[in-house]
Amino acid sequence: MKTKIFFTIILLGFLSPFVLFGYYFLAYDYDISSLVDYKPSTSSRIYDKNGDKIANIFDGKHRFYTPFDEIPPRAIEALVAIEDTTFFEHPGINVDAIFRAAIKVVRAGKAVQGASTITQQLVKNKLLTREKKLSRKIKEAIFAIKLENALTKEQILERYLNEIYFGHGYYGIKTAADGYFHKKLHDLSLKEIAILVGLPKAPSTYAPTKNYEISMGRANRVLNRMKVLGWIDDATYAQAVAETPKVYNTTLTQNKAPFIVDEISRRMRGLGIKDFKTGGYEVYTTIDIRLQEAGRKAVLHAYNEALKRIEGYKHKVLTRAKKERKKIEYVDTNTSNLNGALASVESSTGKILALVGSYDYKISSFNRATQGRRQPGSAFKPFIYQVALDLGFSGATELTDIAKTYKYEKDGEEMKWQPRNYSKNYKGLISLREALVHSSNLATINLVNDIGLRVLLGELDKFGIKDVPQDLSISLGTISLSPLKLAMYYTSFANKGVQVGTRIINYVEHKGVMIHEFTPTSKIITNEQQAFLMTSILKSVVDRGTAVRAKVRGIEIAGKTGTTNDNIDGWFAGYSPTIETVVWFGNDNNTPMHKKETGGRVSGTAFKAYYQDILKLYPQVQREFDMPEGIIEVDVGGKKEYFSDISKPPRVEVKVDPEEELLF
């Protein structure tokens, strides 16, 4: 092999044989292993549930690798035609081209024509510097000859088309096809192929995103060269020249959902995958990118509406002060810390459909949907009421709605707790349904006492809820949860009594092989009938209770609002027959929002906007809840109520007319 290389180099007759001889022995032992054992860093990709790309993930160079057999033959022909017509004949260098270039250099007194083969270009890009010295050119030639003896022509082309820079931050032809045209290689037209293979000569000059007309001119020269060589006919040439492809000028990441990208990156690290940005992984998620965008817009809409209301409150205060001739130096509307989050899942599978961590990722990238832990307030009450239903209570069961003072000891000192209803009204007696519909704190506390705190805490264990307060304050949702965690717990109601674990990744592939697949987890919380009783009550919450602002025309919604003390947190957790969503709003510094910014108002607004978009995007979605067999409908006090074998209807005394009684 050395003899072949040596005599090929001797053909470079315009150079001193002695210099060549010395360089031959010096350069022969230079390392070409990085090209022989070619393992470049490659970008990973994240896809949504429908296979639409969410983002490219990379560190440094953005490159998608493609094997030779996946490169279109036309791309090979076009490249060879414009860059190195004798590629399949020469040994790495083109001696005739070198002599022609040398003669033109002598005549012109400067370099006017290149003589580098495809192999030499690959060597220069991967192994050498770009210094314009004779020594570098000699090394380039020797390296090229050596590489030709180590690899096949097809292997060299594969490495070239994956290594070379195609402008706009794209390395490799597959990356360029995806970036410029949003296409796979096999979907490229001949004109698009010509544009791409014309780029390596001068990527910055010929990049179609910068100089479209110049790029088209270069592509047409590629096509003309193919026609001259007889590799395409006149009709094919004319059709390709006439084409003006659409070119996309997008960011390298093409990141459509940054909160999803961050969450996937975090979970990939959790799987022990440390080279996610450079290893060429493909992650197929549960996300619906259209619903993700709908969720983003919904949170932003609710945020903007809240700001308008807060400014309105401020204006009213100032106007009133002006009328009363009072001087107010400052009205604290506390808007700079307001933020929100949304988590939406498919009720039956726990697949996360949308995850929004703030009203604007660019302003705050902290994901409040997964990492924020806040008190759900009354949004926690359905878990208590489900326990009550499963213990035999029903929607018609009467609860006590009266004020009471609770005494307890803290640090040796007697303390008092005097809970009250948000409305500051007391009904005396109220049905279980109405207590939840109007979010009565006092009735809920008394319900906990009726159940027994110890019994309740034991029953709550089945939901898997962690760190539950071991006192009556649990009645008011004094537990810290993220929106996504609350969404998982709410599947217990939305999924007909079966709680399913949430997941955001379906499976992960590496080099075409599935390396991780995620299967759903589930556990039975209650039976279908008892879950329906809860859904029917939560539907009333939306129809005529604290969550009327979350009501959406054309689809049934069930859910519960939550507003913590001093309006620090505002929640709405709700669901349609197939999709369940939790929305949270509050100030990041845990200070109160305006006193009128309740969960129903601020979070209900986002929920409604989101579900309105769901109906537009998926009009075929199921719109009414199914009533399972075994549900009993009874008129109680002129109102329809639902019962089951566990939550039995009340006994009704039948009054018989005395005169009729005599007939028996």
Side-chain angles (χ1 to χ4, degrees):
M1 184 174 70
K2 285 188 177 184
T3 302
K4 181 179 179 181
I5 298 172
F6 182 83
F7 281 109
T8 304
I9 294 174
I10 289 298
L11 293 175
L12 303 173
F14 65 96
L15 297 172
S16 167
F18 299 102
V19 175
L20 284 174
F21 185 83
Y23 270 112
Y24 165 71
F25 283 106
L26 287 173
Y28 190 82
D29 290 328
Y30 282 8
D31 187 14
I32 61 170
S33 61
S34 61
L35 276 174
V36 175
D37 302 318
Y38 185 58
K39 296 177 181 177
S41 63
T42 52
S43 304
S44 294
R45 282 175 284 192
I46 301 173
Y47 300 96
D48 85 339
K49 60 179 290 191
N50 300 310
D52 294 328
K53 186 167 64 176
I54 294 176
N56 303 317
I57 307 297
F58 60 90
D59 186 13
K61 294 181 178 180
H62 174 35
R63 176 188 290 109
F64 296 133
Y65 194 89
T66 182
F68 181 81
D69 58 5
E70 293 181 9
I71 300 171
R74 280 296 195 197
I76 302 298
E77 293 174 353
L79 175 66
V80 171
I82 197 65
E83 291 290 342
D84 190 358
T85 307
T86 62
F87 172 75
F88 287 99
E89 286 78 43
H90 64 62
I93 60 174
N94 187 329
V95 179
D96 290 340
I98 291 174
F99 275 112
R100 286 195 302 271
I103 292 171
K104 290 187 178 182
V105 167
V106 172
R107 288 177 177 174
K110 61 180 181 179
V112 293
Q113 177 177 320
S116 294
T117 63
I118 287 174
T119 312
Q120 287 175 277
Q121 292 177 40
L122 177 60
V123 165
K124 179 176 66 176
N125 275 273
K126 184 66 176 175
L127 303 178
L128 301 174
T129 64
R130 292 186 173 272
E131 60 179 349
K132 295 182 179 181
K133 291 184 179 180
L134 179 61
S135 59
R136 199 270 296 166
K137 291 296 293 184
I138 295 173
K139 289 178 183 178
E140 179 186 297
I142 295 172
F143 269 128
I145 297 167
K146 186 175 182 180
L147 191 64
E148 290 268 355
N149 282 272
L151 300 173
T152 66
K153 291 288 187 179
E154 290 76 14
Q155 289 173 323
I156 291 171
L157 285 171
E158 178 178 324
R159 283 154 177 76
Y160 179 93
L161 287 170
N162 281 288
E163 178 65 24
I164 294 297
Y165 182 58
F166 284 79
H168 202 85
Y170 303 138
Y171 288 84
I173 192 169
K174 183 176 182 179
T175 321
D178 176 80
Y180 288 126
F181 306 119
H182 290 188
K183 288 184 177 182
K184 296 180 179 179
L185 284 174
H186 61 77
D187 292 327
L188 294 174
S189 69
L190 179 57
K191 183 62 168 285
E192 291 166 339
I193 288 173
I195 292 171
L196 295 183
V197 301
L199 287 168
K201 182 177 178 66
S204 296
T205 301
Y206 295 132
T209 50
K210 292 178 64 177
N211 302 304
Y212 187 83
E213 294 302 326
I214 294 175
S215 179
M216 295 305 106
R218 171 68 172 167
N220 290 341
R221 289 194 291 277
V222 173
L223 295 168
N224 183 65
R225 179 63 177 161
M226 295 178 74
K227 182 170 75 75
V228 169
L229 292 171
W231 294 354
I232 59 174
D233 58 27
D234 290 343
T236 303
Y237 168 77
Q239 181 181 1
V241 168
E243 183 186 348
T244 54
K246 180 178 180 179
V247 174
Y248 294 88
N249 188 4
T250 56
T251 61
L252 297 185
T253 61
Q254 298 179 24
N255 193 338
K256 299 177 183 176
F259 280 115
I260 301 304
V261 171
D262 289 353
E263 185 65 18
I264 294 299
S265 297
R266 185 180 70 82
R267 298 203 182 201
M268 291 293 280
R269 289 193 297 271
L271 292 173
I273 297 175
K274 298 179 180 180
D275 62 338
F276 180 46
K277 292 185 177 181
T278 60
Y281 296 90
E282 295 192 312
V283 183
Y284 294 85
T285 73
T286 62
I287 294 296
D288 184 320
I289 196 62
R290 295 193 291 177
L291 293 187
Q292 176 69 21
E293 177 61 13
R296 184 196 68 80
K297 292 193 306 182
V299 171
L300 180 59
H301 167 71
Y303 172 81
N304 288 331
E305 290 298 305
L307 294 190
K308 291 178 185 177
R309 288 193 299 272
I310 292 171
E311 286 303 310
Y313 305 146
K314 176 181 176 181
H315 177 72
K316 287 181 180 179
V317 171
L318 293 175
T319 301
R320 187 182 304 115
K322 187 176 180 180
K323 285 183 178 180
E324 297 175 0
R325 297 183 179 180
K326 292 181 179 179
K327 185 178 180 181
I328 296 182
E329 297 290 340
Y330 173 69
V331 178
D332 184 9
T333 55
N334 201 6
T335 61
S336 61
N337 289 289
L338 184 65
N339 225 309
L342 177 149
S344 183
V345 304
E346 187 176 67
S347 303
S348 61
T349 64
K351 292 179 178 179
I352 300 172
L353 301 174
L355 207 58
V356 181
S358 73
Y359 73 88
D360 190 331
Y361 181 88
K362 293 179 181 178
I363 294 175
S364 176
S365 61
F366 178 69
N367 194 337
R368 293 155 185 80
T370 59
Q371 298 170 285
R373 289 171 57 85
R374 304 290 284 256
Q375 291 187 6
S378 293
F380 187 82
K381 287 176 181 175
F383 300 102
I384 298 172
Y385 281 69
Q386 185 68 65
V387 169
L389 292 174
D390 293 346
L391 290 174
F393 288 69
S394 74
T397 301
E398 289 191 329
L399 305 178
T400 304
D401 182 35
I402 57 174
K404 185 177 180 181
T405 298
Y406 296 88
K407 297 180 180 180
Y408 63 99
E409 194 172 286
K410 182 179 181 181
D411 299 328
E413 184 179 350
E414 185 178 87
M415 308 292 289
K416 293 182 180 180
W417 182 43
Q418 295 176 304
R420 63 181 185 180
N421 292 332
Y422 181 82
S423 64
K424 300 180 183 179
N425 294 324
Y426 311 106
K427 302 291 185 181
L429 289 177
I430 189 173
S431 70
L432 183 145
R433 175 180 290 272
E434 295 305 307
L436 192 53
V437 165
H438 300 291
S439 200
S440 170
N441 292 334
L442 298 175
T444 304
I445 293 170
N446 289 322
L447 173 62
V448 171
N449 280 324
D450 290 344
I451 295 171
L453 180 61
R454 184 173 298 179
V455 173
L456 173 67
L457 294 174
E459 290 294 316
L460 286 176
D461 281 345
K462 66 185 179 183
F463 291 97
I465 303 172
K466 307 296 183 184
D467 303 320
V468 176
Q470 303 295 296
D471 54 47
L472 283 177
S473 69
I474 188 59
S475 309
L476 307 183
T478 55
I479 180 176
S480 295
L481 297 170
S482 70
L484 182 59
K485 185 64 73 172
L486 185 60
M488 185 194 77
Y489 295 142
Y490 256 70
T491 62
S492 306
F493 316 128
N495 191 35
K496 304 175 182 179
V498 179
Q499 184 186 108
V500 289
T502 57
R503 68 184 194 277
I504 195 170
I505 299 176
N506 276 326
Y507 59 94
V508 179
E509 287 187 352
H510 189 232
K511 297 180 180 179
V513 178
M514 186 186 295
I515 60 172
H516 289 285
E517 184 176 16
F518 297 82
T519 55
T521 59
S522 64
K523 61 180 179 180
I524 297 174
I525 301 298
T526 188
N527 65 41
E528 191 174 354
Q529 289 75 25
Q530 296 306 108
F532 175 80
L533 296 183
M534 175 55 64
T535 293
S536 75
I537 297 173
L538 294 181
K539 183 176 177 297
S540 294
V541 174
V542 176
D543 289 343
R544 54 184 178 82
T546 59
V548 289
R549 288 185 176 88
K551 189 173 183 179
V552 181
R553 181 179 297 178
I555 190 169
E556 292 186 339
I557 301 292
K560 184 68 187 73
T561 56
T563 307
T564 57
N565 285 344
D566 299 321
N567 297 66
I568 290 177
D569 299 286
W571 297 75
F572 181 68
Y575 53 95
S576 67
T578 56
I579 297 175
E580 184 237 308
T581 304
V582 172
V583 181
W584 166 86
F585 266 85
N587 290 320
D588 284 334
N589 60 0
N590 282 295
T591 57
M593 297 183 288
H594 188 274
K595 62 182 180 181
K596 291 187 178 180
E597 293 302 305
T598 62
R601 183 184 295 271
V602 64
S603 294
T605 297
F607 183 95
K608 181 175 183 176
Y610 178 59
Y611 274 76
Q612 286 174 331
D613 273 354
I614 289 176
L615 293 183
K616 293 176 185 176
L617 293 168
Y618 300 104
Q620 75 281 8
V621 70
Q622 184 178 340
R623 299 184 178 223
E624 295 182 355
F625 292 108
D626 296 323
M627 185 170 70
E629 294 183 2
I631 293 296
I632 307 166
E633 294 183 46
V634 177
D635 186 289
V636 179
K639 296 180 180 179
K640 181 173 65 176
E641 187 57 79
Y642 297 103
F643 301 92
S644 68
D645 287 343
I646 295 175
S647 300
K648 300 181 183 299
R651 292 183 179 181
V652 180
E653 293 184 9
V654 180
K655 295 183 179 180
V656 182
D657 189 291
E659 294 184 3
E660 291 184 356
E661 194 172 89
L662 295 175
L663 299 176
F664 290 94

